[in-house]
Amino acid sequence: MSIKYKILKAIDVAGLNFLRPVILLCYGEEPEEQIRKIGLFIAVPIMAFCLFLYLWGLFAPMHKTKSGEVPTPSVVWDSAKGVWAFHVREKNKANAYNLEGDSRDKLLEQAQTRLSELEPMVARVNEQLAEADGAMQSSLASKIEPIKAELDSSKNAMREAQKARQADLQARAKAIAADDTAAKEKLLEDYRAHLAQIETERESLRSYEEQIDEIHNADFPQRAEAIRAQSAIAEERQYLVKLIDTLENNRQQKLSDIETRLEGFESSYYEASGADLLKHAKSITRTESLMVNAADSEYAKPMTLPDQVLRSVACVFAGFLVASLIAIPVGIVCGLSPIMMSALTPFIALFKPVSPIVWLPIFFIIVGGFIPDPDKHWLIAGLAELPLIGWMKINPAFIASALTVAMCSLWPTLVNTALGVASIDKDHINVARVLRLGFWSRLIKIVIPSSLPLTFAGLRISLGVGWMVLIAAELLSSSEGLGKFVWDMFNNGSSQTFAQMFVVVFVVGIIGLLLDRIMIVFQRLVSFDESPTSI
Amino acid sequence: MKQLLSKITLWATALGLFSATLTAEMLDVEKTELKFGFIKLTDCAPIVIAKEKGFFSEEGLQVEVIAQPNWKTLLDNVISGNLDGAHMLSGQPIAATIGFGTKAHIITAFTMDLNGNGITVSNAIWEAMQENDWDLDVDQPEHPISADALKPIVEEKLIAGEKLQMGMVFPVSTHNYELRYWLAASGIHPGMYTTTDIGGRTDAEVELSVTPPPMMPATLEAGNIQGYCVGEPWNQQAVAKGIGVPVTSNYDIWKNNPEKVFGVTYKWAQENPQTHLAVVKALIRAGKWLDATDENGVLVNREEAARILSRPDYVGADYDVIKNSMTGYFYFQKTDKRPMPDFNVFFKYYCTYPWYSDGIWFLTQMRRWGQITEAKPAEWYFETAKEVYKPAVYLEAAKLLLAEGNIDEADIPWDTDGYKAPTSDFIDGILYDAKDPIGYLNSHDIGNKD
């Protein structure tokens, strides 16, 4: 029995209450009731999500835009796989730079075999594409030519007619006497009719043009498929070529090259004498410094989506930490002292509604002022040395984004903490007075514990706000992260762009959900009452 | 090759010989990990290629190549030291050095490419232009297309109290000057910059506004602008999406005009002279690789380059779209594909040399449109160009490459004074002689005269 309650308690604290009926069912408690609850809390959401995917897949292809069709779930999934494949390839290249000995030789061999397998396929897909291209061109030509011929002939006929009418009007205009008002009015009327006719003629041509455009813009699945096949092979080939090149010129190879050269210089130094000695000494020291550089070198890997996600999460937590460090103490002070509350209210009211888009440039300039030369600044250099976050290359853009997150997300915590502190049970305060507790013990033993549930509710909202703000901040500051990924993909304007945006929607959503869950756990841990937490 | 070199080294040392060329193979760079910024345009190719083909790594450099959202952020990041160097508009180092916009001493020792831009108008404007000039209403209209057919549209709009809106990428961009040149050559006033009007719209008949290159097609489609001047692949993108028609390339406005440069701050170059040299070496090799041709004059490496550029962390547009202009073709309409072998030039015509005369042309345009507010003497133009363009660094890098056998003697203009021969290869045929900037300014109808 105790295990059951432990599990139920754990589920409750973790905010996973939808699992409760499953556990109870396992213990055979009120099976019908549990099955009903499982249906409600698990089956219904899953079915709703499936329905959503089905409707999405059904309706997406119906809406055509100039950037392509709205992607269906399967296209988005493919695109997500593409993003992942890019990450894996870049990671492999970076690893290849560091490999030594057997593992290097093995990978090199693997890559070379795969490359030789690809070579015949390259020719084949190119052929297929050429075929598809030819088929498309001839089909286009056969469809367009008749319309085009009609368009051209009617266009020419109309132009001839236009010219004739124009000439006719011109001739009549010349013949009209200066005082012949009636004729003049007639001419004006005819000129208007002439213009109107041009307009209608133009209209009538437009339908032909639209037909031609439609034929041009129509999908040609065979060709699209051939292009996809060609791209997949060409991209893999390019990756393998670069991988092999990296393996052949990786750090180990460079070091051994430089070492041989150094040995040569050293032997010639000891053979030489007199004035030449210094010259040789110079080559030795220079080669030595080259060696140090080569030994430290790392493959310059571009940031890929998984790295960017981690960096974004780090950034939001950095901002969240700063926000909490400011908001909780200030909130407590406000809750304790009505004077402080009254003094700070205008600031809260004034700054709370300001958009992150406005804060970011301000923080960007301020941070830039503190860090004029990022490469040599102690903070940046120090952070780059840290074990877990060193690879993130924290730079002023990261700091500015984190501060923007902090600025926008501190308000819910501040207000909630103040409210929590202000609404402490009067009995607790009276007890404290009777016990003659000092200010600090009153603060730590009574005020903070009883305000914690509300504070954490505030923190949870803050983290949610921070996560939303962060994407915008990164987009503006071009600090490597999800925001920059979104912006780069949008700027790519490729056929993949649209689908990649949808990938980001899910990535952002899932991470936001996880962050929220984490906060719920904390909130449950500090709530000693039975007050339910919203999902 | 590597093995051969090290064998030679051993051999040479065994004989007790000392060869300077072999030590020159690798410079003692001050900094090995570099970050370069770029904008998603095909003309960032030299930087990308130098990285992907291993030219940087052969110089002992590990370079991160990072996409920037717009030209302003890119410049700010170079100035603040977040980036070591970047793919820049030719006008950017000059404007920064003379203090138009953000003030900072930026220099360049490498011109990245020639040509490569186009002017695209919306479908509606193109139809109206065809109405005005029936010769344009054929599958392959004769080039160059001037803005003459656009003028009646502009005038009609002015009567209705509207101004045609067009986009360009940055106030000191080549695109801004080219678009202005094209409009002004047909008597359309594109507006003047003044001390109070930094948007450059005083007296404008067509209003130009700034939009980052990758945003151009979307902005055109949204109807905020009716045309734009931008680099590739954003003109081909308009054709592919069917939202606009490129009417002219900048090759028609000025044959073989300078386009992008590789810019670093003066301070960075002072602190890292060997690194700068190594970077320029790698970039020259990348340029040569990009322009390599077979015996029939066909560009051999461009398809591979287009494939590399289509990676999502570089330009990222579809390979098909990038391939067009990179392999020497250009779609003016879906029905109008033309060979344009010089659409992007990365090495030919001594393209990579940092010419003073290029810098002076940009200075004259800044003066012509009022970005430089007061008249300057000719000497000022010469001196400013010298402050920004650093052929000495370029020539030193070229010398090292020649010694290593990576380039040919004929690839580099060794004895030039930095001024190209006067040319009248402009759409309006006006002669440009860099040695007479004031005379050149005065030869235009629209714009400031000194």
Side-chain angles (χ1 to χ4, degrees):
Chain A
M1 279 315 255
S2 64
I3 294 175
K4 179 178 128 193
Y5 282 110
K6 268 184 190 160
I7 295 174
L8 289 179
K9 175 79 183 155
I11 283 175
D12 182 48
V13 169
L16 302 172
N17 271 333
F18 64 92
L19 290 177
R20 195 182 158 89
V22 180
I23 306 295
L24 290 179
L25 188 66
C26 291
Y27 281 92
E29 259 180 49
E30 297 177 88
E32 278 173 30
E33 173 69 7
Q34 304 314 334
I35 286 172
R36 193 187 67 79
K37 280 190 179 164
I38 288 174
L40 185 63
F41 294 128
I42 299 178
V44 170
I46 288 176
M47 268 155 46
F49 196 75
C50 291
L51 183 71
F52 162 70
L53 287 181
Y54 171 73
L55 290 177
W56 174 11
L58 193 68
F59 286 112
M62 291 183 191
H63 183 60
K64 290 198 195 237
T65 72
K66 292 204 167 121
S67 310
E69 282 168 13
V70 177
T72 57
S74 69
V75 174
V76 172
W77 180 243
D78 281 345
S79 164
K81 282 197 285 193
V83 170
W84 182 253
F86 181 69
H87 167 71
V88 171
R89 284 178 181 173
E90 287 307 314
K91 202 145 190 135
N92 283 347
K93 283 189 231 167
N95 287 339
Y97 190 75
N98 304 334
L99 284 181
E100 295 171 16
D102 275 353
S103 45
R104 170 186 167 272
D105 298 342
K106 218 171 115 196
L107 186 61
L108 188 60
E109 201 189 312
Q110 269 176 15
Q112 275 160 344
T113 349
R114 177 72 190 143
L115 188 63
S116 59
E117 278 169 25
L118 277 182
E119 291 303 345
M121 287 158 85
V122 171
R124 203 168 63 224
V125 287
N126 284 347
E127 233 165 73
Q128 272 167 1
L129 181 61
E131 218 170 273
D133 255 340
M136 186 180 84
Q137 292 304 340
S138 60
S139 130
L140 276 185
S142 67
K143 280 187 198 156
I144 287 177
E145 243 157 48
I147 305 175
K148 179 86 183 140
E150 242 174 277
L151 173 69
D152 282 346
S153 69
S154 41
K155 198 188 274 176
N156 282 337
M158 280 171 195
R159 287 211 172 134
E160 289 306 316
Q162 262 181 44
K163 270 189 205 157
R165 287 203 306 269
Q166 186 84 31
D168 177 47
L169 286 170
Q170 196 69 41
R172 271 172 54 195
K174 270 187 195 152
I176 293 174
D179 55 351
D180 191 350
T181 325
K184 275 187 184 170
E185 268 169 16
K186 179 82 177 73
L187 182 76
L188 190 59
E189 205 174 292
D190 287 350
Y191 185 65
R192 285 211 180 98
H194 168 65
L195 289 184
Q197 199 167 353
I198 291 180
E199 197 49 44
T200 42
E201 284 169 352
R202 216 179 277 167
E203 262 331 295
S204 69
L205 291 181
R206 202 149 289 160
S207 77
Y208 290 115
E209 276 160 7
E210 273 164 17
Q211 280 177 36
I212 294 179
D213 269 355
E214 211 165 287
I215 295 170
H216 265 302
N217 293 336
D219 292 336
F220 208 81
Q222 192 197 345
R223 182 166 184 272
E225 193 44 52
I227 288 185
R228 212 163 316 153
Q230 189 207 33
S231 286
I233 302 247
E235 273 162 21
E236 190 179 354
R237 189 173 169 275
Q238 188 202 319
Y239 154 69
L240 288 170
V241 169
K242 181 72 186 169
L243 183 69
I244 292 169
D245 180 59
T246 312
L247 284 166
E248 279 173 348
N249 298 301
N250 76 1
R251 182 161 58 202
Q252 203 54 36
Q253 303 317 106
K254 277 188 184 157
L255 279 176
S256 66
D257 267 4
I258 297 174
E259 215 160 328
T260 0
R261 214 180 314 157
L262 186 61
E263 277 164 19
F265 286 139
E266 273 169 355
S267 65
S268 57
Y269 175 75
Y270 289 111
E271 279 165 22
S273 60
D276 279 352
L277 273 176
L278 271 185
K279 210 165 78 187
H280 288 291
K282 191 178 158 202
S283 345
I284 291 178
T285 51
R286 264 186 60 174
T287 318
E288 276 167 353
S289 84
L290 281 181
M291 202 148 151
V292 172
N293 282 345
D296 283 347
S297 65
E298 280 288 341
Y299 182 80
K301 175 182 165 297
M303 283 264 181
T304 46
L305 185 64
D307 307 330
Q308 287 168 322
V309 168
L310 288 177
R311 205 167 180 271
S312 283
V313 171
C315 191
V316 84
F317 273 109
F320 178 65
L321 191 70
V322 174
S324 308
L325 288 179
I326 297 170
I328 297 177
V330 175
I332 291 173
V333 171
C334 283
L336 288 176
S337 147
I339 298 174
M340 281 303 286
M341 182 67 137
S342 165
L344 286 180
T345 302
F347 293 99
I348 297 173
L350 185 66
F351 292 136
K352 200 167 94 170
V354 177
S355 152
I357 313 283
V358 182
W359 287 123
L360 184 89
I362 296 174
F363 282 119
F364 213 76
I365 295 166
I366 294 175
V367 172
F370 280 112
I371 308 178
D373 199 348
D375 273 345
K376 291 175 192 132
H377 195 267
W378 59 269
L379 180 64
I380 305 293
L383 286 170
E385 294 300 317
L386 291 179
L388 275 173
I389 54 172
W391 64 271
M392 286 183 190
K393 297 185 185 143
I394 288 169
N395 55 4
F398 179 95
I399 298 172
S401 307
L403 290 178
T404 307
V405 167
M407 195 66 198
C408 294
S409 68
L410 62 83
W411 310 109
T413 307
L414 199 161
V415 173
N416 267 27
T417 308
L419 186 68
V421 171
S423 58
I424 297 172
D425 200 335
K426 286 282 169 293
D427 291 347
H428 293 168
I429 307 278
N430 288 338
V431 170
R433 208 165 282 155
V434 171
L435 291 174
R436 291 171 179 272
L437 289 180
F439 173 78
W440 289 110
S441 25
R442 205 162 35 159
L443 187 72
I444 291 164
K445 295 210 167 110
I446 298 187
V447 174
I448 293 180
S450 47
S451 70
L452 268 184
L454 265 176
T455 303
F456 269 85
L459 285 173
R460 185 181 158 202
I461 302 172
S462 283
L463 192 58
V465 171
W467 183 240
M468 279 173 62
V469 165
L470 177 75
I471 309 288
E474 282 178 339
L475 194 151
L476 270 186
S477 67
S478 75
S479 162
E480 289 285 357
L482 271 164
K484 185 167 190 296
F485 178 82
V486 172
W487 195 234
D488 281 350
M489 292 310 123
F490 177 62
N491 281 347
N492 283 349
S494 78
S495 50
Q496 287 288 306
T497 296
F498 218 162
Q500 277 158 341
M501 295 286 150
F502 281 77
V503 173
V504 172
V505 167
F506 285 99
V507 172
V508 171
I510 290 167
I511 291 166
L513 184 125
L514 289 177
L515 292 178
D516 197 49
R517 288 284 132 180
I518 293 170
M519 288 315 290
I520 287 181
V521 174
F522 282 116
Q523 205 179 336
R524 294 285 171 110
L525 285 175
V526 298
S527 308
F528 33 82
D529 53 355
E530 280 304 306
S531 62
T533 321
S534 63
I535 299 170
Chain B
M1 186 65 200
K2 272 263 154 72
Q3 273 181 344
L4 188 70
L5 267 182
S6 50
K7 261 185 203 159
I8 294 174
T9 323
L10 282 176
W11 213 58
T13 40
L15 284 173
L17 292 172
F18 187 81
S19 162
T21 54
L22 285 168
T23 51
E25 186 203 346
M26 227 175 167
L27 293 159
D28 185 13
V29 294
E30 295 83 3
K31 202 174 169 189
T32 53
E33 286 174 25
L34 302 175
K35 280 176 282 183
F36 291 157
F38 74 101
I39 296 286
K40 289 178 178 277
L41 291 165
T42 53
D43 55 21
C44 69
I47 295 180
V48 170
I49 293 302
K51 176 181 160 78
E52 288 295 320
K53 297 306 288 179
F55 300 141
F56 281 139
S57 129
E58 278 177 37
E59 299 294 337
L61 304 171
Q62 285 296 331
V63 178
E64 234 185 296
V65 181
I66 307 167
Q68 303 294 306
N70 56 57
W71 292 111
K72 167 92 174 89
T73 309
L74 175 137
L75 184 65
D76 286 349
N77 277 337
V78 171
I79 294 171
S80 69
N82 288 324
L83 294 173
D84 294 291
H87 164 225
M88 282 187 192
L89 296 158
S90 291
Q92 276 186 308
I94 302 170
T97 302
I98 64 173
F100 177 76
T102 319
K103 169 118 180 118
H105 192 173
I106 308 270
I107 61 163
T108 175
F110 181 79
T111 304
M112 291 178 65
D113 66 321
L114 307 179
N115 309 324
N117 299 330
I119 296 177
T120 293
V121 295
S122 68
N123 292 331
I125 295 288
W126 175 240
E127 269 173 38
M129 282 174 75
Q130 287 179 323
E131 280 304 320
N132 292 333
D133 182 355
W134 289 349
D135 289 341
L136 297 179
D137 195 4
V138 288
D139 277 351
Q140 296 215 337
E142 197 185 324
H143 280 200
I145 297 176
S146 72
D148 291 346
L150 188 69
K151 197 172 162 65
I153 304 166
V154 172
E155 281 165 356
E156 219 168 281
K157 284 222 173 209
L158 281 176
I159 291 168
E162 285 172 44
K163 285 180 181 176
L164 193 75
Q165 302 289 324
M166 293 186 91
M168 44 86 183
V169 305
F170 200 64
V172 298
S173 66
T174 339
H175 316 80
N176 186 16
Y177 303 130
E178 281 163 1
L179 191 51
R180 282 165 183 273
Y181 202 101
W182 184 67
L183 293 169
S186 294
I188 302 170
H189 200 305
M192 299 291 292
Y193 291 84
T194 64
T195 32
T196 49
D197 177 11
I198 51 167
R201 291 173 177 181
T202 304
D203 299 334
E205 292 172 326
V206 170
E207 287 191 338
L208 308 186
S209 55
V210 171
T211 307
M215 294 290 292
M216 283 293 185
T219 316
L220 183 77
E221 201 181 345
N224 296 341
I225 51 176
Q226 283 88 44
Y228 56 68
C229 180
V230 73
E232 273 314 295
W234 308 112
N235 295 294
Q236 293 300 276
Q237 193 81 278
V239 178
K241 289 184 176 175
I243 56 176
V245 177
V247 284
T248 183
S249 71
N250 62 343
Y251 183 77
D252 281 337
I253 299 172
W254 176 15
K255 273 188 189 52
N256 294 329
N257 62 88
E259 180 51 38
K260 301 293 187 310
V261 296
F262 177 77
V264 298
T265 61
Y266 179 73
K267 183 166 160 269
W268 186 91
Q270 289 301 103
E271 285 169 4
N272 306 289
Q274 298 293 310
T275 316
H276 194 199
L277 212 54
V279 169
V280 174
K281 273 175 75 184
L283 289 174
I284 294 176
R285 287 182 68 189
K288 183 162 170 95
W289 184 85
L290 279 161
D291 266 11
T293 52
D294 61 12
E295 63 273 19
N296 301 323
V298 178
L299 296 160
V300 286
N301 289 326
R302 292 291 183 89
E303 280 191 20
E304 188 181 345
R307 185 61 75 185
I308 292 172
L309 288 173
S310 71
R311 263 177 47 171
D313 56 332
Y314 297 137
V315 181
D318 286 348
Y319 166 71
D320 257 23
V321 174
I322 294 179
K323 192 183 80 176
N324 293 342
S325 63
M326 280 296 278
T327 53
Y329 289 93
F330 199 77
Y331 277 94
F332 286 91
Q333 298 176 63
K334 278 194 174 140
T335 51
D336 186 2
K337 180 185 182 180
R338 298 184 193 210
M340 288 201 69
D342 284 349
F343 188 86
N344 276 119
V345 174
F346 293 103
F347 196 68
K348 272 192 287 186
Y349 312 128
Y350 301 140
C351 141
T352 51
Y353 186 93
W355 296 97
Y356 294 135
S357 51
D358 292 348
I360 292 170
W361 189 80
F362 287 102
L363 286 167
T364 61
Q365 298 307 301
M366 288 176 192
R367 175 64 193 132
R368 183 180 177 194
W369 302 115
Q371 290 175 333
I372 297 170
T373 45
E374 71 273 22
K376 303 273 189 187
E379 284 70 38
W380 179 84
Y381 287 87
F382 307 144
E383 263 148 39
T384 310
K386 278 211 172 89
E387 257 179 73
V388 176
Y389 284 76
K390 300 292 175 192
V393 177
Y394 176 89
L395 287 175
E396 201 178 336
K399 225 171 271 167
L400 293 173
L401 285 172
L402 185 67
E404 292 162 18
N406 281 320
I407 54 170
D408 300 328
E409 181 96 41
D411 288 340
I412 306 293
W414 300 100
D415 302 321
T416 175
D417 60 351
Y419 286 82
K420 282 185 192 163
T423 172
S424 53
D425 268 343
F426 289 85
I427 195 165
D428 54 2
I430 289 177
L431 179 81
Y432 168 57
D433 179 2
K435 291 189 170 155
D436 179 20
I438 310 295
Y440 180 62
L441 264 177
N442 293 339
S443 58
H444 294 285
D445 288 339
I446 300 180
N448 278 331
K449 291 186 193 35
D450 288 336

